[in-house]
Amino acid sequence: MRDAQPGAIYLRDYQPPAFFIERTELAFDLHEDHALVSACLHIRRNPAVTGGKPLELQGQQLELLSLAIDDRALSPDDYELDDACLRIRQVPDTFRLQSQCRIQPQNNTALEGLYKSRNMFCTQCEAEGFRKITWYLDRPDVMAVFDVTVEADATRYPVLLSNGNPLSLRALGNGRHRAHWHDPFPKPAYLFALVAGDLRSVDDRFVTASGREVSLHIYVEEKDLDKCDHALLSLKESMRWDETVYGREYDLDIFNIVAVDDFNMGAMENKGLNIFNSSCVLCSPEVTTDSEFQRVQAIVAHEYFHNWSGNRVTCRDWFQLSLKEGFTVFRDATFSADMGSPTVKRVAEVNDLRNTQFAEDAGPLAHPVRPESFIEISNFYTATIYEKGAEVVRMIHTLLGAQRFRAGSDLYFQRHDGQAVTCEDFVRAMEDASGVDLQQFRLWYSQAGTPVLSAAGAYDPVAQQFHLTLRQSCPPTPGQPVKLPMVIPVALGLLGSAGNLPLRLATDDPASAVQTHRVLVLNQPEQTFVFEQVSEAPVPALLRGFSAPVRLEYAYSSDDLRALMKREADGFVRWDAAQQYALRVIAQAQAAYTAGDAIDVESGYLEACGQLLHDPALDPALVAEMMTLPGETYLADLAAEAGGADVDAIHAARQAVRLAIATTHSEALQACYQRLQSTAPYAPDAAQTGARRLRNLCLDYLALGGPGGLALAATQFREATNMTDRLAALQSLAFHGRDDHSDAALQQFYRDWEHEPLVVNKWLQLQALVPVPDTLERVQGLLPHPAFDLHNPNKVRALIGGFANGNPVAFHRADGAGYRLLADKVTQLNALNPQLAARILEPLTRWRKYRSRGEQMRAVLVELSALPGLSPDVFEVLQKSLGD
Ligand code: TRP
Ligand code: ZN
C-alpha cells in the first residue's frame, strides 16, 4: 500500500493565480549526462488576489543550484522546497526570480518535460510537464512572453529550435553553439518547446491571405527526408482552409514541425514548433497505408488549427481541456471531410465514437466533457474530451447553421484573443452572435453518459399522418445517478416507395417551403411530432449524418432496413441500416451458437450484401463500410447491457456471419476484386482509397472462404506496389491461412522492412491481432525480439495495445493469461512511463462487462493496486475501476 494517496483536485476550487509571469527568459545548456536550466521570471503580483499570498512555484525532479530575487541570492531560510513545490513567503509585488537547476534528460523515460528520443533532445510540456524543466507557475492561465537560448555541441546537435522567431545562432568556439529564439505571443508553459538534434529539413513557403510570407519546415532524420511531402502538403492545405472557412491566418514568420520517435501521443501544438510522433508525419506509398495517409493529414491539420483554437485563445484550467480539443477535433474533422469523402469520414468517426467513447461513457472512467475533478490530468486526454467534445461543437453547428456558427466563432476569437478562457465563454460567444439560447444545451458539458434516443413511429392512413414519438433517457454514471433531459438535434427524412417524402409539421407556417430534410429538436423527456399529408407509410431515416452522439433505438423491420440500405438519400443512414441489420443477424447467430444449434443467416441480409457487391454505380468506399461488420468490442458492449458479454460466442457468431457472406457471394466477391484492379500510379486520394478498401475487403472474404482466396492473397502479397495492398494481403494470410503459409509471409515481410521502424510496428501489431487463443504465446515470444522495446510508446501500443484492445479472443483467454500479460507490462511501465501505463491498462477496467471472466479481471486489478510505488496515473485508473 502507498502511504500518501494522491488527492483529487476540483473545478469548483479554481482560484485565479496570485502572481503573473510577464516575461520568461530561459537558458538551456545541454550535455550528454545532464542539462542546466537557468530561468529568469519577471513576476508581478495579481492585484485582484488579496491577502499577501506566498509565491508557490511547481517543480519536480529538479536539482537546485541557485536561487535569487532581483540578483540577490536567497539562503535556505528564505524559501521552502519539497519534491513538488518551491515556496517563498516574502516577495515584492514586482520582481525577477532567477533560478538555476540541473536535470537529467537522458534518464527521462516518462517522455514528459525535457527528454532524449534516440539522439535528439525534445520536450513535451502539456499538460503539466514544464515543472520538470524549471520551477514555474505551471498552469494555463499564466501566460508569458518567452525568450530562450539553447546551447549544445555543434556537431551532435546542429539544429537548435524553440518557439517563435529565430534571432541568432552563434558558434561559441569550444565546439558548442547557441541559438536564441523569441516568441512574441504570450503563452502558457504547456506550449513551450525545445528541440536539439542532427536533423535535416524539407522547406517550403506559404503566403497568407493578407500577403505575409511564412517559411515552413519539417525536420526529420536524414533517412526520412523522402517521407515529408504529404505532411507538408497537408500543412499548406490546412493553412488555406482555416483562412477560407474560419477567417484565421497564421501569425508568425516561421512554422516548424519536428518528427520524434518516442512520443506519448500523436502530436503537440507548441507555438510555432509542433512536435510530432514520427508515425503521424512520415508518409510514402511504400511504407504507409491509405488510412495512415489520412491520419497524417488530419493530425497535421489538428495541430495547425490549435494555433487559434488553443494557443491564441487557450484554456483557463485543465477542466476546460475540451474547449481546445473538442473544438479542434471538430475543425480537423470538417477539414478532412472537405478534403475527401464526407460520408466515409463521418462513418469512420461514428465507428470510432461507438467503439471507444460510448464504451468509456458506459464504464468506470466515464466523465463529462468538462470534468469536475481529476487526480492526474494526463488521464483525461480521452475520447470523451476529444471526440464527444467535437460532437458537442458539431451539434452547436447544427442548431445554429453554418452562417451563425461562423459569426459565433468570429466573436469567440475576437473577444478572447490572448486570453485563457472556459467552455462557458465559448458557448456564450455562440449565443451572443446567433441569438440562439443554449441554456439547456450546456448540459452536454456537465452530464456524462450516452443518452438513449428511442423513437417510435405510427402511420395513420386515413388522416394521412405520421406520428413520430421521440423519448430520451441517460444511464447513471459515476457520481451522476440522475440526469436531466438534454437538447438533442434529430436530423431526419421520411423514406417513401419513390424516394424521400415532403416533411410538413402541423405547426409549420403554411407559406414556408416544404423540405425533405429537417432537424427536429428534442428537449423534453418525450415529444411527439406529427407529419401531415403523408401519402404512404414511410420508413423514418433518423439521425441523419449522426446529428447527435446518442444510441438510437427504433423497431425497424428487416424490410425497413433493406429499404434504407438501398434507397435512403443520406449515406450515413444507409451505412447505419447495414450495421443494424448486421447486429441483428449476429445476435441470431449468437443465440443459435449458445443453444448449440446450426447457424443460419437470414437470406434477406445476404441478398442485400449481394446487391451492394453487384452495383458498380455505388461508391466502393461506402460499400466497403457497409459490408464491414460491427467490431467485437462494440458487440461486447451491447451484450454487456443485455446481461454480460460472452467473448467466445460473439467471436464465433461474427465469424459465422462473415463466412456466410464469403460462401454465398464468392463469385461476386471475385468479380468485384477483379473489377477494382487498377494500374494507376498510387495516390492517397478518396477515389483510390475507397477502391482499395473494397478490393481488400473482398480479398479478405475470399481468403476466409478457402484456398482459392488464400492463393489470391499470396499473389497480392508478392506483387503489391504499395503498403496498403501488401499489408492487407499479409493480414488475410495471417488471419485465415494455415501456419506454414502465414509464417513464411510474416518472416518475409520482416526481412523486407526491418530497416523501417514504422513498418515493423505494423508487423508487431498484425501478429498481436491474429484472432486465436495462442496469439498470447506469440506476443510473449515477440517481447524479447529486437523489434520490440518497452521504452518506445509506438511499439507498446502496437504489440501490447493491439493485443489487449483488438484481440478479445486471445486477451480474454479462459486461463486468464492475457490479463496477467497486460498486468505484467503495466507493472514495468508504471516505473518507466506512467502515462502510457495508465493508458494500456484500460481494457482491464471494463471487467464488469464480462460475464464469466469479470472476476479474474478484477483480481488482477486488485493485485496491481497493491504494487509499491504506484504512479498517480495508474493509481487513479485502478481506484476508479475498482469503484471505491
Ligand atoms: N494537445 C495535444 C493534441 O491533442 C495532446 C498531447 C500531445 C498530449 N502530447 C501529449 C497530452 C502528452 C498529454 C500528454 O494535439
Ligand atoms: Zn489537440
Side-chain angles (χ1 to χ4, degrees):
M1 286 298 280
R2 44 181 317 114
D3 15 298
Q5 292 198 343
I9 72 157
Y10 295 86
L11 170 57
R12 61 168 185 267
D13 293 342
Y14 172 81
Q15 298 282 341
F19 294 87
F20 294 120
I21 304 177
E22 263 147 18
R23 242 172 96 75
T24 296
E25 294 163 30
L26 299 171
F28 289 85
D29 197 358
L30 305 177
H31 296 274
E32 292 316 294
D33 56 355
H34 72 282
L36 299 175
V37 184
S38 308
C40 176
L41 312 179
H42 297 243
I43 299 181
R44 183 171 58 88
R45 195 179 282 278
N46 179 357
V49 176
T50 53
K53 296 221 169 127
L55 176 70
E56 288 181 2
L57 301 172
Q58 290 79 43
Q60 283 172 9
Q61 298 161 37
L62 309 173
E63 182 192 342
L64 178 64
L65 301 178
S66 70
L67 197 58
I69 284 184
D70 294 331
D71 303 313
R72 187 183 64 84
L74 299 191
S75 76
D77 301 338
D78 299 328
Y79 58 86
E80 296 153 47
L81 180 63
D82 63 25
D83 60 4
C85 183
L86 169 66
R87 185 175 300 103
I88 310 178
R89 296 212 175 268
Q90 298 297 325
V91 292
D93 287 346
T94 311
F95 60 99
R96 284 170 299 127
L97 181 78
Q98 298 141 313
S99 71
Q100 202 189 25
C101 69
R102 186 170 16 228
I103 56 179
Q104 313 279 327
Q106 75 283 358
N107 297 328
N108 181 347
T109 57
L111 314 183
E112 188 189 39
L114 176 62
Y115 66 93
K116 277 198 99 170
S117 174
R118 289 152 60 90
N119 299 320
M120 95 173 79
F121 287 93
C122 60
T123 54
Q124 172 55 40
C125 295
E126 188 177 4
E128 298 182 333
F130 192 77
R131 61 190 63 186
K132 293 177 159 188
I133 293 175
T134 191
W135 288 279
Y136 206 75
L137 292 169
D138 190 5
R139 45 187 289 169
D141 56 356
V142 171
M143 300 165 81
V145 170
F146 278 64
D147 229 285
V148 178
T149 64
V150 186
E151 181 189 319
D153 184 280
T155 318
R156 284 175 193 255
Y157 310 103
V159 173
L160 303 175
L161 307 172
S162 189
N163 313 89
N165 298 314
L167 298 185
S168 62
L169 178 62
R170 277 199 195 92
L172 299 176
N174 52 356
R176 295 174 68 77
H177 63 165
R178 183 188 296 142
H180 188 177
W181 290 79
H182 176 75
D183 181 359
F185 292 94
K187 65 169 179 289
Y190 84 85
L191 291 171
F192 166 77
L194 172 162
V195 168
D198 184 4
L199 302 168
R200 302 288 182 279
S201 67
V202 173
D203 311 308
D204 204 340
R205 56 196 279 280
F206 179 86
V207 179
T208 69
S210 65
R212 276 191 336 99
E213 184 168 324
V214 183
S215 66
L216 312 176
H217 310 275
I218 300 185
Y219 286 91
V220 296
E221 284 177 39
E222 185 166 21
K223 69 174 174 57
D224 293 323
L225 271 174
D226 59 344
K227 304 191 192 76
C228 299
D229 294 355
H230 182 66
L232 191 55
L233 177 64
S234 303
L235 175 61
K236 290 183 286 181
E237 288 169 340
S238 309
M239 294 177 88
R240 197 58 80 207
W241 188 91
D242 213 16
E243 291 179 344
T244 316
V245 180
Y246 281 86
R248 298 293 120 196
E249 269 188 44
Y250 187 62
D251 50 11
L252 287 164
D253 303 333
I254 183 169
F255 189 84
N256 288 322
I257 286 179
V258 180
V260 310
D261 284 337
D262 303 293
F263 201 70
N264 275 341
M265 305 271 282
M268 180 62 211
E269 69 265 22
N270 317 299
K271 183 80 187 188
L273 177 53
N274 287 2
I275 297 184
F276 274 61
N277 188 320
S278 49
S279 73
C280 299
V281 201
L282 305 179
C283 281
S284 78
E286 295 72 39
V287 303
T288 310
T289 63
D290 290 340
S291 54
E292 290 166 324
F293 268 96
Q294 286 171 347
R295 194 170 129 81
V296 166
Q297 186 191 49
I299 296 182
V300 168
H302 179 97
E303 306 311 331
Y304 174 72
F305 294 157
H306 267 316
N307 190 54
W308 275 97
S309 47
N311 301 2
R312 289 289 288 259
V313 182
T314 195
C315 300
R316 187 192 72 173
D317 55 73
W318 292 118
F319 299 101
Q320 319 296 330
L321 181 57
S322 194
L323 172 73
K324 73 177 177 80
E325 295 305 346
F327 187 22
T328 304
V329 171
F330 172 69
R331 277 150 57 68
D332 82 59
T334 319
F335 166 77
S336 296
D338 284 356
M339 295 290 138
S341 155
T343 301
V344 173
K345 170 68 178 150
R346 192 64 185 139
V347 163
E349 283 161 23
V350 175
N351 256 324
D352 185 38
L353 208 63
R354 284 180 177 159
N355 285 308
T356 313
Q357 200 279 324
F358 283 15
E360 184 168 274
D361 238 351
L365 304 175
H367 54 277
V369 167
R370 183 185 52 225
E372 242 121 65
S373 76
F374 58 74
I375 292 176
E376 173 52 61
I377 184 59
S378 302
N379 286 333
F380 283 76
Y381 289 74
T382 61
T384 299
I385 301 295
Y386 278 69
E387 275 74 35
K388 187 176 182 179
E391 293 298 319
V392 171
V393 176
R394 177 187 290 270
M395 287 189 286
I396 296 179
H397 187 278
T398 303
L399 292 168
L400 268 56
Q403 255 185 0
R404 289 189 296 181
F405 182 87
R406 169 66 193 270
S409 71
D410 283 352
L411 179 61
Y412 169 72
F413 288 127
Q414 177 239 312
R415 189 185 267 177
H416 298 298
D417 190 9
Q419 298 178 356
V421 303
T422 62
C423 298
E424 172 57 29
D425 291 316
F426 179 81
V427 177
R428 194 167 327 107
M430 288 289 162
E431 275 182 326
D432 288 352
S434 68
V436 175
D437 178 355
L438 296 169
Q439 194 48 45
Q440 186 189 352
F441 183 86
R442 283 169 170 77
L443 287 168
W444 282 106
Y445 287 93
S446 57
Q447 282 191 169
T450 306
V452 176
L453 172 66
S454 51
Y459 182 63
D460 178 343
V462 178
Q464 301 260 295
Q465 285 178 337
F466 182 69
H467 295 240
L468 181 67
T469 299
L470 302 176
R471 277 185 211 94
Q472 61 166 311
S473 63
C474 186
T477 48
Q480 297 187 335
V482 184
K483 310 290 167 99
L484 296 169
M486 320 264 263
V487 177
I488 301 179
V490 183
L492 86 170
L494 294 179
L495 184 60
S497 49
N500 284 108
L501 304 170
L503 304 174
R504 296 185 190 85
L505 286 174
T507 48
D508 285 349
D509 173 355
S512 64
V514 177
Q515 300 146 317
T516 57
H517 174 90
R518 57 195 292 170
V519 180
L520 305 178
V521 178
L522 173 67
N523 55 18
Q524 307 290 315
E526 176 176 332
Q527 272 162 277
T528 298
F529 299 86
V530 180
F531 293 94
E532 315 240 289
Q533 301 173 53
V534 183
S535 55
E536 57 179 307
V539 182
L542 298 169
L543 219 61
R544 279 181 166 178
F546 202 63
S547 59
V550 299
R551 288 182 197 270
L552 171 66
E553 291 174 352
Y554 187 91
Y556 287 115
S557 69
S558 295
D559 284 341
D560 292 343
L561 292 174
R562 278 195 300 273
L564 290 172
M565 279 174 72
K566 218 172 153 172
R567 296 188 289 106
E568 158 62 10
D570 182 81
F572 166 78
V573 170
R574 285 171 54 192
W575 168 77
D576 205 29
Q579 291 290 293
Q580 287 181 60
Y581 208 170
L583 289 176
R584 181 168 302 178
V585 297
I586 293 169
Q588 289 160 357
Q590 204 185 320
Y593 174 89
T594 312
D597 297 341
I599 293 175
D600 185 24
V601 178
E602 199 175 300
S603 62
Y605 176 74
L606 294 172
E607 271 160 37
C609 289
Q611 286 172 7
L612 290 173
L613 286 172
H614 276 113
D615 189 348
L618 296 174
D619 173 10
L622 189 58
V623 173
E625 295 300 338
M626 290 175 79
M627 294 199 49
T628 302
L629 304 187
E632 289 175 31
T633 310
Y634 182 55
L635 291 168
D637 283 336
L638 297 178
E641 285 170 24
D646 178 342
V647 180
D648 299 319
I650 287 171
H651 180 71
R654 186 174 183 275
Q655 277 303 93
V657 175
R658 280 168 48 79
L659 190 60
I661 294 172
T663 45
T664 314
H665 294 303
S666 67
E667 273 165 38
L669 288 162
Q670 288 256 13
C672 189
Y673 180 81
Q674 302 303 344
R675 171 159 56 85
L676 292 171
Q677 177 147 34
S678 161
T679 51
Y682 179 92
D685 59 28
Q688 282 198 18
T689 296
R692 277 189 289 271
R693 172 103 174 78
L694 179 54
R695 188 164 187 264
N696 286 322
L697 183 71
C698 291
L699 179 68
D700 196 60
Y701 275 118
L702 291 165
L704 174 67
L710 285 169
L712 216 53
T715 307
Q716 177 169 320
F717 177 66
R718 273 197 313 275
E719 294 175 0
T721 56
N722 61 70
M723 184 51 73
T724 306
D725 290 338
R726 180 169 290 115
L727 196 70
L730 181 63
Q731 173 162 327
S732 292
L733 289 171
F735 282 22
H736 312 306
R738 301 237 330 272
D739 286 354
D740 40 349
H741 268 92
S742 58
D743 286 352
L746 282 164
Q747 282 164 23
Q748 180 65 45
F749 188 83
Y750 184 71
R751 280 197 299 277
D752 291 347
W753 298 104
E754 214 177 330
H755 57 286
E756 288 284 0
L758 295 175
V759 181
V760 170
N761 294 348
K762 295 189 249 277
W763 177 80
L764 290 170
Q765 173 149 15
L766 195 152
Q767 295 178 82
L769 293 177
V770 178
V772 293
D774 58 13
T775 291
L776 183 118
E777 278 76 21
R778 198 200 287 249
V779 170
Q780 256 154 353
L782 285 166
L783 292 172
H785 194 284
F788 185 73
D789 179 1
L790 208 56
H791 291 84
N792 179 271
N794 289 356
K795 293 189 183 298
V796 172
R797 281 186 284 259
L799 188 64
I800 313 298
F803 173 76
N805 280 304
N807 193 343
V809 168
F811 177 62
H812 293 282
R813 210 164 83 162
D815 62 4
Y819 309 144
R820 288 195 300 275
L821 173 66
L822 183 59
D824 189 43
K825 296 307 127 195
V826 170
T827 305
Q828 287 173 283
L829 284 166
N830 176 60
L832 288 175
N833 185 336
Q835 281 183 19
L836 184 59
R839 224 161 249 281
I840 65 160
L841 175 55
E842 216 177 77
L844 275 172
T845 67
R846 311 266 158 82
W847 61 275
R848 281 191 180 84
K849 276 198 322 218
Y850 294 95
R851 198 193 305 251
S852 53
R853 313 276 154 80
E855 265 316 305
Q856 267 172 295
M857 297 170 79
R858 201 184 89 91
V860 170
L861 292 172
V862 171
E863 237 171 82
L864 278 173
S865 27
L867 268 184
L870 270 191
S871 61
D873 312 61
V874 173
F875 171 81
E876 179 173 36
V877 173
L878 288 172
Q879 189 197 49
K880 291 186 173 165
S881 54
L882 288 169
D884 54 70

